[in-house]
Amino acid sequence: MVSLNRNLILAFLCVLLCFVVSFSNAQLSANFYGTSCPNLQTIVRNAMTQAVNREARLGASILRLFFHDCFVNGCDASILLDDTSTFIGEKNANPNRNSARGYEVIDTIKTQVEAACPNVISCADILALAAREGTVLLGGPSWAVPLGRRDARTASQSAANTQIPAPSSSLATLISMFSAKGLSARDMTALSGSHTIGQARCTTFRNRIYNDTNIDPQFAATRRATCPASGGDANLAPLDIQTPNRFDNDYYQNLVVRRGLLHSDQELFNGGSQDALVRSYSNNGASFRSDFAAAMVKMGNISPLTGTNGEIRTNCRAIN
């Protein structure tokens, strides 16, 4: 009898341990909040609609925020944490300082979500959904967003400074940095198409318009008019000069005629391994949209915190 009880206890402990391991390594699922917060996606969609109607650029800003979050320790909402007297976050890292924006939109969505479903939805999942909605609102593709992420209790300014590709990056560097996150060269080229929307600061493209040789002269002259050789660092220019507020494949058409705004943009079409894919996307918008949606799902799966890891922040700007 004692032996039987011991065996039963061991079997129970084994089941319990397996459950804990399984829970802490839970996989993301598109219907993760299907019963705990069924109106989640409607709340995010309505809030993003209001934000983008107010300022179209916010669709691009939120998409960029998600990208910069995922590339630093995974998609864990670490980018949303404010600095404190004892904590230095990612907001003032070089790639984000004076350029990352849209935080207040995520705050608004979080407030509305908390009112409907308190202590259930992570800021990381809200950011992932908001990035999708912003893309769709500007005419881009939709995709099923896998959910179930939890929020980080820490952030890394040093990782943000070293792991987010710079606008001066070479093709080899871009391929390498995306590969380090489990993303292929094709994923990288498709995700770069997010530059079909949004704007960039003069400081990020000044060297290209004054010093690069693989640039259309008329395009360079146009950009120099609002981006002087010195000063005016914060002056803005559209990443896609044709349709900056519409998600389409014009970005790739611009690359083919040497009108990429950033050095890193034009690297995708500069006699290298991605030339054929860029030309394909420039001719086939449907192919780009399909690859972009698939790559967004892959990027959203970079090292998420799930199960018992991390937390559900009640305020996206601070740990609980």
Side-chain angles (χ1 to χ4, degrees), residues 131-143 247-248 285-286 288-294 296:
R132 191 266 309 273
E133 294 304 329
T135 300
V136 171
L137 286 165
L138 295 179
S142 187
W143 58 92
F247 197 101
D248 53 30
F288 159 54
R289 292 167 67 89
S290 175
D291 283 1
F292 180 84
M296 283 297 294

Side-chain angles (χ1 to χ4, degrees), residues 14 23 44 71 84 110 112-113 121 125 136 142 156 168 170 180-181 234 241 249 252 258-259 265 300 311 316 319:
C14 180
F23 185 65
V44 176
F71 261 57
T84 69
K110 179 63 172 175
Q112 295 175 2
V113 167
I121 314 300
D125 279 343
V136 171
S142 187
S156 175
S168 59
S170 67
K181 303 299 178 184
I241 194 172
N249 66 333
Y252 300 102
R258 302 184 303 163
R259 301 202 317 178
D265 287 328
E311 64 181 19
C316 291
I319 58 175

Side-chain angles (χ1 to χ4, degrees), residues 29-190:
S29 163
N31 62 352
F32 188 84
Y33 301 110
T35 55
S36 60
C37 194
N39 294 327
L40 170 63
Q41 305 209 27
T42 300
I43 294 171
V44 176
R45 182 175 304 116
N46 290 343
M48 282 301 296
T49 299
Q50 290 181 349
V52 171
N53 284 346
R54 186 172 68 249
E55 182 191 357
R57 185 186 171 202
L58 280 169
S61 297
I62 296 295
L63 181 57
R64 182 173 184 261
L65 210 56
F66 182 54
F67 165 55
H68 282 207
D69 181 44
C70 290
F71 261 57
V72 181
N73 297 329
C75 309
D76 60 2
S78 57
I79 195 172
L80 303 179
L81 290 170
D82 282 344
D83 291 354
T84 69
S85 59
T86 59
F87 175 85
I88 298 177
E90 298 163 20
K91 287 185 175 180
N92 287 307
N94 292 333
N96 299 326
R97 187 175 58 252
N98 299 322
S99 66
R101 58 197 301 274
Y103 299 112
E104 72 288 346
V105 176
I106 302 302
D107 291 339
T108 297
I109 298 173
K110 179 63 172 175
T111 298
Q112 295 175 2
V113 167
E114 283 296 306
C117 315
N119 304 312
V120 173
I121 314 300
S122 68
C123 299
D125 279 343
I126 287 173
L127 182 54
L129 286 168
R132 191 266 309 273
E133 294 304 329
T135 300
V136 171
L137 286 165
L138 295 179
S142 187
W143 58 92
V145 178
L147 301 168
R149 301 170 189 80
R150 287 166 66 85
D151 299 323
R153 295 190 178 99
T154 186
S156 175
Q157 187 174 104
S158 60
N161 280 329
T162 58
Q163 296 179 17
I164 297 173
S168 59
S169 297
S170 67
L171 178 60
T173 296
L174 291 170
I175 291 174
S176 174
M177 294 183 80
F178 276 74
S179 176
K181 303 299 178 184
L183 298 167
S184 68
R186 187 181 188 95
D187 295 328
M188 180 272 294
T189 299

Side-chain angles (χ1 to χ4, degrees), residues 140-266:
S142 187
W143 58 92
V145 178
L147 301 168
R149 301 170 189 80
R150 287 166 66 85
D151 299 323
R153 295 190 178 99
T154 186
S156 175
Q157 187 174 104
S158 60
N161 280 329
T162 58
Q163 296 179 17
I164 297 173
S168 59
S169 297
S170 67
L171 178 60
T173 296
L174 291 170
I175 291 174
S176 174
M177 294 183 80
F178 276 74
S179 176
K181 303 299 178 184
L183 298 167
S184 68
R186 187 181 188 95
D187 295 328
M188 180 272 294
T189 299
L191 289 169
S192 296
S194 62
H195 287 179
T196 185
I197 53 176
Q199 302 191 53
R201 299 168 74 241
C202 169
T203 186
T204 65
F205 60 85
R206 176 182 288 117
N207 190 62
R208 167 147 173 79
I209 62 174
Y210 285 98
N211 298 315
D212 281 4
T213 56
N214 60 343
I215 186 168
D216 173 68
Q218 184 176 355
F219 175 72
T222 298
R223 293 280 65 95
R224 288 172 184 165
T226 53
C227 182
S230 63
D233 285 2
N235 293 354
L236 297 173
L239 286 155
D240 170 2
I241 194 172
Q242 295 162 275
T243 53
N245 292 323
R246 191 173 75 229
F247 197 101
D248 53 30
N249 66 333
D250 283 358
Y251 167 79
Y252 300 102
Q253 295 175 10
N254 290 334
L255 296 185
V256 171
V257 294
R258 302 184 303 163
R259 301 202 317 178
L261 183 63
L262 306 180
H263 178 86
S264 55
D265 287 328
Q266 198 59 55

